[in-house]
C-alpha cells in the first residue's frame, strides 16, 4: 500500500525532500546570525525591502487563506470577496502609515518586540506585560488554526489520521524555527512566498476550469437553493460579514508578526520597495483563493465542513491532475510553514523577552529562552489542535479581533499622536477586551460583529484619556514626534 502511494505521489515526495533540505540549510544560516537577541529576533535590522515584502505576504497568507478562507465562500457566497479587497487595502495602509515610523522608532529605541516598543512609547513596564499577555494568547489561537489547516490537508492527501497529520507538521516547523530565528524565517519565506503565488494561481485555474469556467458563477442565481450566494445579505448579514472582514484585515496594521517585519528593514528605501512586493503578493493570492468555495458548488455537494473544500478538490484527480496536486500540497504546506514559523517566533520572543525574561536582558539567555519557547508553544498549540475549539475562520477572526481592539489605538495612534500614556493604553486594552467578550457572551454577534463595538470602545477610551492627561514626558519619546 505504501509502495503504491509512493509510486502515485513520487513528485510530492521529491518536492518535500528538496523543500525540507532548503529549510534545514537556512536554519543553519540563521543559527549563525541568531547568536544575539537582535540577530535572532529581527535579523540585526539588515534586510532589504523585497525580502521583507515577500515575507510580509507569505506570513499573512497561511493555510488559513488556502484552506479556511478559500472554502468559506462555499457558505458565504460572493460577498465574501469583500474581505479579500479589504486585505489588499490594509496591506497598503500598513506599509504606508505603520512601516516608516515603526522602523524608525524601533531602531531609535532598540525595540526587538512589539511590547518593547509599547513599553518605551508609554513609559510603562505594565503596558509591556499586558501587551505581551495579549500577544501570547492570540498567537496560540492562531497557531491552533494553522495546525488545523495543515492537518486537514495532510489527512486528506496522505490518507492518515488527522492527529498524525498535526504531529508531522509540528515536527517540521519546530525543527527549523527553533534553530534559525528571524533570518531563517524570512529567508525561507522567499521560497515559500513564490510557491504560494504559483500555487494560488494553479488552484484558481484548475478549479474554475473543472467547474465550467470563470463565468459559471452567473448561473448561481438560476438555482433557488444557491441564489442566496450572490445576494448581499443572503448567507449572512452584510454588516456581520464586514465585521469579520475587518477583524481579519486589521491584523495587517497591528498584528505583531506583521509589524515586526518592519523592524528588520534596513532603510527607508526598503520600505518603498517592500510595499509593492507585499501588495501585489496579497492581491494575487487572495483574489485567486477567495472565490474557490463558490466554484466548488459545481464540483461538490453537501459540504458541511468548509475547511475540507480545498483539500478535497486538491486530492481529486478529475479536478486537478496528480502532478499538479502534488505541487499544490507542498505549496499549501509552505503556506502553513510561513505562518507557523513567524507566529511561533513572535510568541516565543515576546514570552522570553517581555514576560519571564524581563529581569534578565542578556542576549544569550533571552535567545535560549526563545528557542525553548518555540518548542513549547508549538507543542501546546498542536495538542489543542487535535480537538480544536472551532473552525479555522472562527478561531482566526477571534484572534484578529483581540489584536485589533488592543493594538489599533495603541500602535496606530501611538505612532502618529504624541499624546497618550500608560493609563490610556491599559484602559484601551481592558475596555476593548471586556466589550469584545461581553458582546459574544450576550450573543449580539449575529446582529453586529463584536469587533465594531469593541474597537470603538477601546479607541474612544484611548483618545479621551490621552486628550485629558499629560503625554509621556520622556524626551526620547517626544523627540521622535518632532522629526
Amino acid at each position: 500500500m505504501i509502495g503504491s502511494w509512493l509510486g502515485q505521489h513520487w513528485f510530492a515526495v521529491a518536492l518535500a525532500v528538496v523543500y525540507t533540505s532548503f529549510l534545514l540549510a537556512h536554519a543553519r544560516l540563521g543559527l549563525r546570525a541568531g547568536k544575539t537577541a537582535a540577530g535572532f529576533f529581527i535579523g540585526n535590522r539588515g534586510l532589504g525591502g523585497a525580502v521583507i515584502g515577500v515575507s510580509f505576504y507569505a506570513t499573512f497568507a497561511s493555510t488559513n487563506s488556502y484552506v479556511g478562507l478559500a472554502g468559506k465562500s462555499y457558505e458565504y457566497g460572493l460577498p465574501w470577496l469583500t474581505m479579500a479587497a479589504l486585505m489588499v487595502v490594509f496591506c497598503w495602509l500598513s506599509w504606508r502609515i505603520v512601516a516608516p515610523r515603526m522602523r524608525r522608532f524601533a531602531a531609535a529605541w532598540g525595540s526587538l518586540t512589539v511590547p518593547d516598543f509599547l513599553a518605551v512609547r508609554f513609559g510603562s513596564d505594565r503596558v509591556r506585560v499586558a501587551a505581551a499577555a495579549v500577544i501570547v494568547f492570540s498567537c496560540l489561537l492562531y497557531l491552533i488554526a494553522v495546525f488545523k489547516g495543515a492537518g486537514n490537508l495532510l489527512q486528506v492527501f496522505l490518507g492518515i489520521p488527522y492527529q498524525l497529520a498535526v504531529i508531522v507538521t509540528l515536527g517540521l516547523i519546530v525543527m527549523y524555527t527553533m534553530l534559525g530565528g528571524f533570518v531563517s524565517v524570512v529567508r525561507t519565506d522567499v521560497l515559500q512566498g513564490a510557491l504560494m503565488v504559483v500555487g494560488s494561481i494553479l488552484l484558481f485555474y484548475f478549479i474554475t476550469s473543472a467547474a465550467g469556467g470563470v463565468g459559471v458563477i452567473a448561473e448561481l442565481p438560476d438555482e433557488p437553493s444557491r441564489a442566496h450566494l450572490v445576494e448581499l445579505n443572503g448567507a449572512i448579514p452584510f454588516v456581520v460579514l464586514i465585521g469579520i472582514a475587518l477583524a481579519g484585515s486589521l491584523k495587517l496594521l497591528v498584528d505583531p508578526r506583521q509589524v515586526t517585519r518592519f523592524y528588520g528593514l534596513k532603510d527607508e528605501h526598503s520600505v518603498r520597495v517592500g510595499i509593492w512586493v507585499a501588495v501585489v503578493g496579497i492581491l494575487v493570492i487572495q483574489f485567486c483563493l477567495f472565490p474557490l468555495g463558490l466554484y466548488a458548488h459545481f464540483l461538490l455537494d453537501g459540504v458541511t465542513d468548509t475547511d475540507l473544500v480545498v483539500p478535497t478538490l486538491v486530492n481529486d484527480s478529475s479536478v486537478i491532475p496528480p502532478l499538479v496536486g502534488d505541487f499544490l500540497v507542498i505549496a499549501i504546506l509552505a503556506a502553513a510553514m510561513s505562518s507557523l514559523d513567524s507566529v511561533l517566533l513572535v510568541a516565543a520572543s515576546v514570552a522570553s523577552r517581555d514576560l519571564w525574561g524581563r529581569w534578565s536582558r542578556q542576549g544569550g539567555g533571552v535567545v535560549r529562552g526563545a528557542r525553548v519557547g518555540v518548542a513549547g508553544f508549538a507543542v501546546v498549540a498542536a495538542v489543542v489542535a487535535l480537538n480544536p475549539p472551532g473552525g479555522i475562520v472562527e478561531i482566526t477572526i477571534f484572534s484578529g479581533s483581540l489584536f485589533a481592539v488592543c493594538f489599533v489605538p495603541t500602535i496606530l495612534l501611538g505612532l502618529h499622536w504624541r499624546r497618550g500614556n500608560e493609563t490610556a493604553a491599559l484602559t484601551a486594552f481592558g475596555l476593548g477586551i471586556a466589550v469584545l467578550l461581553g458582546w459574544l457572551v450576550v450573543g449580539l454577534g449575529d446582529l453586529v460583529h463584536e469587533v465594531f463595538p469593541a474597537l470603538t470602545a477601546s479607541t474612544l477610551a484611548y483618545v479621551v484619556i490621552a486628550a485629558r492627561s499629560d503625554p509621556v514626558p520622556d524626551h526620547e519619546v517626544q523627540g521622535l514626534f518632532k522629526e
Side-chain angles (χ1 to χ4, degrees):
M1 182 177 176
I2 295 177
S4 174
W5 187 92
L6 289 175
Q8 183 181 359
H9 296 291
W10 63 269
F11 188 52
V13 174
L15 285 176
V17 170
V18 173
Y19 176 64
T20 303
S21 300
F22 182 87
L23 296 183
L24 292 176
H26 282 283
R28 190 175 175 186
L29 289 173
L31 184 61
R32 291 201 295 267
K35 296 182 184 297
T36 65
F40 187 79
F41 292 169
I42 58 171
N44 289 312
R45 309 184 202 276
L47 297 171
V51 172
I52 295 294
V54 174
S55 182
F56 188 89
Y57 77 72
T59 295
F60 183 75
S62 67
T63 49
N64 296 346
S65 294
Y66 283 80
V67 177
L69 300 178
K72 205 65 177 178
S73 57
Y74 188 96
E75 177 182 353
Y76 288 166
L78 196 60
W80 187 233
L81 271 67
T82 302
M83 185 169 183
L86 285 178
M87 286 179 176
V88 176
V89 171
F90 280 108
C91 177
W92 182 82
L93 286 174
S94 184
W95 281 82
R96 287 290 294 173
I97 66 176
V98 178
R101 287 197 168 216
M102 182 60 83
R103 187 201 69 80
R104 184 158 54 89
F105 283 28
W109 299 340
S111 301
L112 302 181
T113 64
V114 168
D116 248 358
F117 159 76
L118 293 174
V120 178
R121 170 62 185 86
F122 296 107
S124 169
D125 206 46
R126 288 193 291 180
V127 172
R128 176 196 299 276
V129 173
V134 170
I135 290 169
V136 167
F137 180 72
S138 296
C139 283
L140 277 173
L141 288 179
Y142 196 86
L143 286 169
I144 292 165
V146 180
F147 271 119
K148 185 178 188 299
N152 284 337
L153 175 71
L154 295 180
Q155 175 190 16
V156 173
F157 180 70
L158 299 177
I160 60 177
Y162 169 79
Q163 291 79 5
L164 180 58
V166 171
I167 292 172
V168 169
T169 307
L170 170 67
L172 184 60
I173 193 65
V174 168
M175 179 172 55
Y176 80 91
T177 306
M178 186 169 65
L179 293 175
F182 188 84
V183 170
S184 174
V185 166
V186 171
R187 285 178 177 271
T188 55
D189 277 350
V190 174
L191 172 65
Q192 289 166 166
L195 289 173
M196 290 159 65
V197 168
V198 174
S200 63
I201 294 172
L202 289 174
L203 274 170
F204 182 81
Y205 173 77
F206 283 103
I207 290 176
T208 55
S209 297
V214 175
V216 76
I217 290 179
E219 299 177 11
L220 289 173
D222 299 332
E223 301 182 39
S225 63
R226 295 173 177 170
H228 67 283
L229 294 171
V230 295
E231 297 172 359
L232 197 63
N233 294 290
I236 182 176
F238 190 65
V239 67
V240 175
L241 188 145
I242 286 292
I244 295 172
L246 280 174
S249 304
L250 281 169
K251 293 190 302 180
L252 285 159
L253 294 176
V254 296
D255 187 333
R257 69 193 170 104
Q258 304 299 142
V259 170
T260 50
R261 289 290 171 279
F262 303 143
Y263 286 28
L265 290 166
K266 61 183 178 181
D267 52 31
E268 291 293 332
H269 175 71
S270 300
V271 177
R272 294 191 292 272
V273 172
I275 185 172
W276 295 112
V277 175
V279 168
V280 171
I282 288 280
L283 176 68
V284 172
I285 290 173
Q286 304 303 349
F287 275 95
C288 283
L289 297 180
F290 267 69
L292 296 184
L294 277 171
Y295 291 103
H297 275 278
F298 298 93
L299 303 169
L300 301 173
D301 291 317
V303 172
T304 56
D305 184 357
T306 59
D307 290 346
L308 294 176
V309 167
V310 171
T312 300
L313 293 176
V314 168
N315 205 43
D316 187 342
S317 59
S318 67
V319 177
I320 295 177
L323 288 181
V324 177
D326 287 355
F327 174 84
L328 288 173
V329 168
I330 301 304
I332 299 174
L333 185 61
M337 296 298 115
S338 67
S339 281
L340 282 172
D341 56 20
S342 298
V343 179
L344 276 174
L345 184 62
V346 165
S349 299
V350 165
S352 175
R353 183 174 176 83
D354 301 304
L355 289 178
W356 62 66
R358 282 185 299 138
W359 57 85
S360 175
R361 294 296 181 193
Q362 284 78 26
V366 173
V367 171
R368 284 192 296 272
R371 288 197 168 106
V372 172
V374 165
F377 283 118
V379 169
V380 170
V383 168
V384 177
L386 297 178
N387 186 23
I392 292 173
V393 173
E394 290 76 17
I395 298 172
T396 303
I397 294 305
F398 183 74
S399 170
S401 297
L402 280 175
F403 280 138
V405 301
C406 291
F407 297 134
V408 165
T410 53
I411 289 181
L412 289 189
L413 295 181
L415 283 171
H416 293 276
W417 189 27
R418 62 181 293 271
R419 304 194 73 86
N421 53 26
E422 176 190 79
T423 303
L426 292 177
T427 304
F429 283 1
L431 187 60
I433 294 172
V435 173
L436 184 72
L437 296 177
W439 202 265
L440 286 171
V441 170
V442 175
L444 296 175
D446 292 335
L447 299 175
V448 176
H449 193 273
E450 55 274 11
V451 78
F452 284 122
L455 182 56
T456 300
S458 65
T459 303
L460 282 177
Y462 181 93
V463 170
V464 170
I465 294 174
R468 295 172 61 89
S469 55
D470 294 331
V472 174
D474 191 331
H475 71 277
E476 188 178 14
V477 173
Q478 297 303 322
L480 283 176
F481 286 97
K482 296 176 183 177
E483 294 181 10

